[in-house]
Amino acid sequence: MRILAIDTSCDDTCIAVVATGNNCTSSVDNPKLRFKILSNIVSSQVKIHRKYGGVVPGLAKREHQKNLVPVLKKNLKKIKNLKRKTSSREINASEDIILENLFKKEGAFYQVMRDFFRRYKKPNVDLIAVTQGPGLEPALWSGINFAKAISYFWQIPIIPVNHIEAHILANLISRSQISLRCQSCGAATSIKCQIFPAICLVVSGGHTELILMKDYGEYKLLGETRDDAAGECLDKTAKILGLSYPGGPEIEKLTKKGEDVFALPRPMIHSKDYDFSFSGLKTAVLYLTKKIPTKKLKNYRLRANIAASIQQAVIDVLISKTIKAAKEHKIKTILLGGGVVANSELKKQFKKRLKQECPLSIIHYPATKLCTDNAAMIGVSGYFNFLQGKLRSWQKIRARANLKI
Ligand code: KG4
Ligand code: ZN
């Protein structure tokens, strides 16, 4: 099965084509289940949003509308499936009404979509997966309407996907990490036997969530951030240090020359629940930098020390809470996902602490480029939704900015 996947939940226009491997169309409990990324393209808007220090939803929507057709064409070219019609067929009146309704007040996008369907043939794709939430509502709608038009014109079934679940299931793409052999007898077993129950930590620019996963599609939200997400905290504190957006990777770069010497708070690290709070850390960084004379703050080493202290405070909270949940729920694995997992120090320290405190548990995380937003993970998630019978008619799919797992 070939899945065309689309994600426009935030500021990246992401489209991918994912294939499920041989002999695996019918069950998630199949040791032979494999995913192959045929193409995975992310068109970043970061340069546009950088001057505002964060993502501007209206701008993100406009950019998605500009990028979606070119990014789709690139994907289809990559899989050698961008085929022009021999003669361009006119769009009939009822098709035009559908297009007009989907792209109301979006004149330019409507015209581009119209031309696209006149000129290009349906590619060899069996399913469309599209993010319905959570995310920025205007941005979500651009991807959803685009997916709906494709589903209608090319008669391809469509399935909605939860972006948070997709960050978790991104772990199944690099299956070489996940042993499919029984650890005691060596026989082939399903990933289900190897993974669950699992604790999932999803940390991105918009989310910090701890989730207990008992099976595919069976999730319990244990805790989440009460204010800023971990990635948001890194982005905002990076801005205070004069670094560019997105701040997480900039902070990580700077920490290489710094040390964790400033005693910054680790909010809620010892709280009894699994919630998080990062806005206090941001405020502490603001106060700290206000106490330092501007001239001194230009010192690279000093800023590197602040960056290292911020990163360590975030890492300490994330690891402590996750391990606490892992112990309480006696889990087999920890699954990490989301942009902040691109951070190598976080992964390094996670492995070390897990070895010390939960030696029987195993940690998995996606390849770095599958931690940050991408559509390959949407394709994988769409496939699981398909196996669970979650196909929807395109008319019924709506953006759900606050969708929960
Ligand atoms: O998952 P993602 O690409 O988009 C959202 O769904 O939000 O995550 C983006 C977040 C940003 O806050 C960014 O600063 C952070 O992930 N991030 C990192 C790193 N790379 C991206 N944070 C820490 N270290 C990194 N290397
Ligand atoms: Zn994300």
Side-chain angles (χ1 to χ4, degrees), residues 7 9-10 163-164 167 202 204-207 338-339 371-374 377:
D7 181 279
S9 57
C10 193
H163 183 86
I164 300 292
H167 270 306
V202 179
S204 67
H207 301 275
C371 290
T372 45
D373 283 351
N374 66 88
M377 67 181 193

Side-chain angles (χ1 to χ4, degrees), residues 31-221:
K32 288 188 178 148
L33 181 61
R34 287 281 183 284
F35 294 99
K36 189 165 180 210
I37 302 177
L38 304 181
S39 67
N40 186 21
I41 297 172
V42 177
S43 169
S44 170
Q45 302 176 7
V46 75
K47 281 190 190 139
I48 292 159
H49 297 281
R50 190 166 272 159
K51 36 181 183 293
Y52 303 96
V55 182
V56 183
L59 263 184
K61 170 186 143 180
R62 201 188 67 196
E63 288 304 306
H64 286 311
Q65 292 184 343
K66 260 196 241 163
N67 297 336
L68 278 162
V69 170
V71 175
L72 174 62
K73 280 182 167 174
K74 261 194 208 169
N75 273 275
L76 297 182
K77 240 186 212 159
K78 179 98 199 286
I79 65 164
K80 299 187 173 46
N81 242 246
L82 183 68
K83 296 198 175 121
R84 285 186 89 116
K85 290 178 179 164
T86 37
S87 63
S88 53
R89 179 178 74 78
E90 280 315 310
I91 303 285
N92 67 37
S94 53
E95 288 170 340
D96 213 18
I97 291 173
I98 302 277
L99 273 186
E100 274 175 5
N101 282 336
L102 285 174
F103 305 111
K104 252 181 224 151
K105 300 189 214 135
E106 318 284 359
F109 195 25
Y110 158 80
Q111 207 53 50
V112 170
M113 293 299 291
R114 210 172 177 283
D115 283 354
F116 180 70
F117 290 119
R118 279 178 59 224
R119 289 195 185 144
Y120 292 94
K121 284 190 193 164
K122 175 186 172 179
N124 177 13
V125 164
D126 310 290
L127 182 70
I128 297 165
V130 64
T131 301
Q132 66 168 342
L136 304 171
E137 186 156 342
L140 286 165
W141 271 119
S142 26
I144 290 173
N145 283 336
F146 177 73
K148 284 180 173 198
I150 295 176
S151 172
Y152 168 77
F153 271 87
W154 288 340
Q155 297 288 298
I156 304 173
I158 188 168
I159 207 136
V161 168
N162 179 314
H163 183 86
I164 300 292
E165 183 176 20
H167 270 306
I168 296 171
L169 296 180
N171 279 290
L172 301 183
I173 298 175
S174 39
R175 290 279 298 279
S176 54
Q177 281 188 48
I178 296 177
S179 160
L180 289 175
R181 299 265 147 207
C182 166
Q183 279 164 10
S184 45
C185 74
T189 60
S190 73
I191 31 177
K192 238 167 142 169
C193 309
Q194 297 288 332
I195 294 182
F196 305 124
I199 287 289
C200 313
L201 174 72
V202 179
V203 258
S204 67
H207 301 275
T208 303
E209 296 187 2
L210 257 184
I211 297 154
L212 173 65
M213 183 178 184
K214 291 193 178 155
D215 201 341
Y216 296 106
E218 237 186 84
Y219 302 98
K220 185 176 175 207
L221 182 64

